[in-house]
Amino acid sequence: MIRCSVFIGVMSAHPKLMDLLDDTVPGIGTYEDFNTIDWVREKSKDRDRHREITNKSKQSTVALLFSISDAFSGWLLMLLIGLMSGALAGGIDIAAHWMTDLKEGVCLNGLWFNHEHCCWASNETTFQERDKCPQWKSWAELMVGVSEGPGLYVVNYFMYMCWALLFAFLAVILVRAFAPYACGSGIPEIKTVLSGFIIRGYLGKWTLIIKTITLVLAVSSGLSLGKEGPLVHVACCCANILCHFFTKYRRNEAKRREVLSAASAVGVSVAFGAPIGGVLFSLEEVSYYFPLKTLWRSFFAALVAAFTLRSINPFGNSRLVLFYVEFHTPWHLLELIPFVLLGIFGGLWGAFFIRANIAWCRLRKNTCLGHYPVLEVVVVTLLTAFLAFPIEYTRMSSSELISELFNDCGLLDSSKLCGYTSNSGSASGSVNATAANGLGARLAGPDLYTAMWQLALALLFIPSMAVGAIAGRLLGVCMEQLAIRHHERDIFRGWCSPGADCITPGLYAMVGAAACLGGVTRMTVSLVVIMFELTGGLEYIVPLMAAAMTSKWVADALGRESIYEAHIRLNGYPFLEAKEEFRHKTLATDVMRPRRGDPLLSVLTESGMTVEEVERLIADTTYSGFPVVISQQSPRLVGFVLRRDLVISLENARRNQEGVVSMSPILFTECDPPMSPSAPPAVKLRSILDLSPFTVTVHTPMEIVVDIFRKLGLRQCLVIQNGRLLGIITKKDILKHMAQMANRDPDSILFN
Amino acid sequence: MIRCSVFIGVMSAHPKLMDLLDDTVPGIGTYEDFNTIDWVREKSKDRDRHREITNKSKQSTVALLFSISDAFSGWLLMLLIGLMSGALAGGIDIAAHWMTDLKEGVCLNGLWFNHEHCCWASNETTFQERDKCPQWKSWAELMVGVSEGPGLYVVNYFMYMCWALLFAFLAVILVRAFAPYACGSGIPEIKTVLSGFIIRGYLGKWTLIIKTITLVLAVSSGLSLGKEGPLVHVACCCANILCHFFTKYRRNEAKRREVLSAASAVGVSVAFGAPIGGVLFSLEEVSYYFPLKTLWRSFFAALVAAFTLRSINPFGNSRLVLFYVEFHTPWHLLELIPFVLLGIFGGLWGAFFIRANIAWCRLRKNTCLGHYPVLEVVVVTLLTAFLAFPIEYTRMSSSELISELFNDCGLLDSSKLCGYTSNSGSASGSVNATAANGLGARLAGPDLYTAMWQLALALLFIPSMAVGAIAGRLLGVCMEQLAIRHHERDIFRGWCSPGADCITPGLYAMVGAAACLGGVTRMTVSLVVIMFELTGGLEYIVPLMAAAMTSKWVADALGRESIYEAHIRLNGYPFLEAKEEFRHKTLATDVMRPRRGDPLLSVLTESGMTVEEVERLIADTTYSGFPVVISQQSPRLVGFVLRRDLVISLENARRNQEGVVSMSPILFTECDPPMSPSAPPAVKLRSILDLSPFTVTVHTPMEIVVDIFRKLGLRQCLVIQNGRLLGIITKKDILKHMAQMANRDPDSILFN
């Protein structure tokens, strides 16, 4: 009997299942919305598919060609994703740049020119006045008609606020009307999707269109947000849409998630122009299942995207990266102290930001504030625009700001941040020993002091990276002035030599930006690599790593969760974190259902149940699957059947199989038991039975169970003692148990 | 009864096990040589340990401090590994450089100066004649006494061969006498160790000492080998030795392997000066279990090592990297064609090299050649030295050669490779339209042609990277000459402008090196990142990736295995490759033991067996563990007990427990069955019983079983049908099955 079953198992179980999935009953093997996929099953399906193609390829040339095209379809898909995401990112950058300038004025040569292009196009400008040209009119000049006067500022101020308001209003209306999933950064949801959860429409074409438009609008309106999250979402939408053209990926949820992992690398690659950093970000931060094959493909896609973006050249500098820097001054060992201080600042800021952000979201969720999102956005935008206009550094877009902060001052630099005495021409007033020494050129002038104050004010309302960059630049300028003014002291001796920079404030800005971004997102290696790609020199890895490490440690000491994880928890997504180890000493028996005192586990028997009984069981329970045992008296496990498959098969049998009535027996066995000829025909369901369900014993420590769930991507696992089925553990049970162990409300896990 | 067992399970099973492991019976929980570790068990042990420390830390300040120091011990260990490996690598470089020069001559100022330092130290040299100074005497000059003459060359030739022979002889004698594990590149063995296999002494202090010395000797003797493999081995030895000072890592095989993963990153980091590339190499190529925590720590260690090496400054250029290049000329899209050609060459070369290498090793293994390793090395060295001396490019060390090939030609460069007409002063002879155009400066002169021929000869006997670099340089120079001579043709129009380089032959050398290294090792992302770190510019990633991808595809088409995997298979190491998917359609029942017709599975029963019976079973079988079932009639699984634990416990009971005789019953139950008072006392062994063995059903496809083994790092798995134990699958069974499926000899798997 055993041999028989094994033999038939070998011959039939899998091909049958596959045929069924492909042809017979539509719907079997698919998932409902807000459900978790079974990674093992999906990967099996793909292997079956691959095996079939390989076998067929030996039979004919057409099949061979098909097999080759199938093997290369992954690369083609990556190429398309790279091209599409790169092009979209370029478009977003250009549009956002134009619309940001639109808030200030308009170009008479052509409405479609932004400020910079407008003045490039006109020949009259000199190098000194790059951003001033007659063709570019501020709104006040256009409306009042004169080019100078006291009222101009007020009119410009008013127009700036109007435009910001319009953009923000349009953005929020679009999101509410067409694609509610387009709001937010998107990374928490993408992490959840990649871990195997299904949210239909989250990566659809409407989300893509609306997200692209609103991203441009929101950036232009001056709202404080980083671009990397939305760009990751946009890239994932592109990938998901493109997957529809490839059967291999359309039909398989696991394969599709591999592509999405690569797409998140693409998103970061175009956000920062850092392909390697993007791949590491996907690996470290976002992905759940990241085989080596995906690593290589992600890298390819990220590179294609980065080069597509470079060809579009939205920053006008032929550079791949948003913030290109070119300093190569060495740093001194003692400078590690300010770098570590920046790390501490970044960690504190990160922890504070996460708490404030979560508190605000919770407030919005629980009070009436949540009912008026349009009002909220409008008020925030008005407030931001009102406060931002007067200060130069908040008026510009945050990427321009960061780029200015990262820059080292050249001789011809006209930025206020480079308002040193030599540049501002006032060196004559302060010719002292220092200046005579040749070091005077880097003494701070009045412009620099103004810039410092404005920066300190700007600290208050801008995204994390800019906060860090500002804090870093401030500290850097302080250090520089300290070193120059006290260059004869022992500790600064040899730092500053005439004619050369002694300290690079731009480097401090960069380290600060890394520290703050690290505190908020808890990225580590990927963060350092992204910053390394921006500078392209190994020299600055140590400062960056010192800051990133300190920042992570400080922030972790104040709260274990990154902003993404905090949002996942806030929204109750069923996400099983792979980073943190499960440290409690509970066993499988403590977590499994049914609990002590609960009614017994609902099971099906291999034979002996009727259609009616099974239908009643389905109606009475909400479980997503049922174990099949030999008999109620001898609960020895035979297999596991999913609710959805069972419902579809029963409906199908009722409709299509002749003579099936409520009293028809349901058989999961492979050898038919003897039956009287007058009995109604049996419904044979062995083909939908999963004959290899995962099992653990009651004594298995939960840490091992959690490990198995994470590494294999399970949905459920059956609990056995001495060969008898005792209970079941689902992913939801584990998440609830973990919440309970961490003294949180276990019912905050929303989905199953 | 069930509740009782569960309850007691919760209260006792794990702490008891742990106490036992730590205190009671020495040896339980450890492994024998040439065995595979159980990752799940090791990780459980570590979590138990961590939990205990955390719990204790709440009780006293000392315990709290201990807990903190425990948390940071990993970082401290990484720091030490980085420092030690960096220092060793620096020492090896300096010593090898000195001894390579020793083959040619000696410095009169001090024996410890190498050629370069010797001439630096003397003031008389000019820039033009950096490497000629009176203090540096070739052996012929010293021995014959004159500085010029016809016999000098012969004497130098002879001395060169003598030294090479001496070094090679010393190296082979040292390895044979003291540390047989020090031979070979070491990466195949390290991969196997990291996957969980135990080879005692492979990473011990003797291996470290001998490997370090022989690496210096072998490099100096001019034998063709890459340094990256041995440096990875050296770094892993350092890590393993340093682990002994930290209880956390000494006692836990899984934790130690995490450290070793990081150490292999350190090895590559010091070999190429590429910390990020090293981490990716470890992730992509070497490691088996690589949690994110290890990623971050590896990066730290790799960085520390790279900076230690830089502080030692063995290359005298203050650079981190062995082959620092500084070209930034853009490349043209059409150049992708030669780059892809280089990729094809690299792939072909890689496939050829692997086959030739394996064939040679097999020949040595199966014929009498293997009995005379000293003779073999001596003959190879003599042959190499004899052929290498006359050609300049083979006489220098391979890293010098590569470094010269990667270089772009400056105006003052005296290398023959830069023998362009302008540099060699013979431009006047060939003043034609091209030269008048300003392009003549890069026309090839006679020196360059000589260099090309010598390089082509050198292609024949040097390591992969150099082969690729030479091939690349040759192609690069050809392309350059082609573009210059036909600069008026359409396809080359705009490539060459007067005064600027049109094509960078150094870039071709680099692409070629990457292609060949890729063909041999099948590295992908890590290879591109290593090369990226050498140049520090994102510009060249696309050429590098095009070549690496082509190379991998071509090489994969000719043979799936990398050189490391080929050696693993040749040596029959029990390594379960994580990269390749198991594609066959077999089920667990086809692989499990006992096979059809074999005698039944040897099992223990929960109760009812005597000491004598168990001892007989142990004596009669060689299995490394036994399942424990309820009874022979009802083979329902209770747990699994390891042979080693069982043997040790029985010996311990015989020795220390009073009244234990051959007839004493052995109990694995937790509730004692009623026994007559006259019966001998029972030996209770529940504490060594693994109550949560992994199980699969007979119907489980082998692809899933293989996946479980890989991802969870199992040693064995029990096979169940309908609650009854039917068989067992071990890692060895899987490897044998895979060998069989690939039509190889399943008995080539040597170890269990």
Side-chain angles (χ1 to χ4, degrees), chain A residues 164-236:
Chain A
L165 199 62
L166 176 69
F167 294 157
F169 184 74
L170 268 178
V172 70
I173 289 292
L174 275 175
V175 167
R176 281 182 65 79
F178 295 105
Y181 285 143
C183 74
S185 108
I187 291 187
E189 287 79 11
I190 286 168
K191 277 187 84 161
T192 313
V193 168
L194 285 181
S195 82
F197 197 58
I198 292 185
I199 312 179
R200 293 212 193 289
Y202 193 78
L203 299 172
K205 57 181 179 306
W206 279 109
T207 311
L208 174 63
I209 295 169
I210 300 300
K211 186 111 193 182
T212 310
I213 298 174
T214 49
L215 178 57
V216 171
L217 288 169
V219 168
S220 320
S221 76
L223 283 177
S224 303
L225 42 80
K227 233 171 33 181
E228 60 283 4
L231 278 179
V232 168
H233 191 176
V234 165
C236 284

Side-chain angles (χ1 to χ4, degrees), chain A residues 390-528:
Chain A
I391 304 176
E392 191 186 337
Y393 297 105
T394 47
R395 207 190 313 166
M396 58 175 74
S397 73
S398 61
S399 47
E400 271 182 279
L401 169 63
I402 294 176
S403 156
E404 186 147 321
L405 289 168
F406 280 10
N407 247 325
D408 201 23
C409 294
L411 276 178
L412 289 169
D413 226 315
S414 62
S415 154
K416 268 192 199 166
L417 276 174
C418 302
Y420 295 98
T421 44
S422 68
N423 289 14
S424 58
S426 64
S428 56
S430 62
V431 179
N432 52 16
T434 318
N437 229 335
L439 295 173
R442 295 292 287 200
L443 271 177
D447 265 9
L448 184 58
Y449 284 121
T450 322
M452 292 289 108
W453 278 115
Q454 290 196 350
L455 276 183
L457 278 176
L459 254 185
L460 297 174
F461 45 104
I462 36 171
S464 302
M465 230 181 130
V467 167
I470 292 181
R473 186 86 191 197
L474 290 175
L475 186 64
V477 172
C478 292
M479 283 295 293
E480 186 187 37
Q481 297 304 319
L482 206 70
I484 291 179
R485 285 175 203 277
H486 301 281
H487 68 274
E488 73 287 351
R489 293 266 180 95
D490 267 349
I491 52 166
F492 294 124
R493 199 177 299 278
W495 284 31
C496 304
S497 52
D501 294 349
C502 41
I503 277 177
T504 321
L507 174 62
Y508 282 74
M510 194 167 210
V511 170
C516 280
L517 203 57
V520 174
T521 61
R522 309 292 159 87
M523 282 151 72
T524 53
V525 181
S526 45
L527 181 66
V528 175

Side-chain angles (χ1 to χ4, degrees), chain A residues 17-62:
Chain A
L17 182 64
M18 198 188 153
D19 286 349
L20 255 175
L21 294 178
D22 281 359
D23 310 317
T24 331
V25 187
I28 283 188
T30 60
Y31 300 93
E32 276 173 273
D33 205 1
F34 298 115
N35 265 288
T36 302
I37 69 164
D38 186 335
W39 284 87
V40 178
R41 190 164 97 155
E42 292 296 305
K43 280 189 279 176
S44 267
K45 257 168 64 185
D46 181 61
R47 274 186 287 239
D48 287 339
R49 210 191 124 275
H50 186 268
R51 209 155 26 217
E52 204 188 353
I53 289 174
T54 317
N55 290 343
K56 273 190 192 158
S57 73
K58 288 164 197 150
Q59 292 160 10
S60 74
T61 324
V62 178

Side-chain angles (χ1 to χ4, degrees), chain B residues 157 160 222 383-396 461:
Chain B
Y157 205 156
Y160 181 89
L383 207 68
T384 310
F386 178 73
L387 294 172
F389 188 83
I391 304 175
E392 191 185 338
Y393 296 104
T394 46
R395 206 188 315 166
M396 58 174 77
F461 45 103

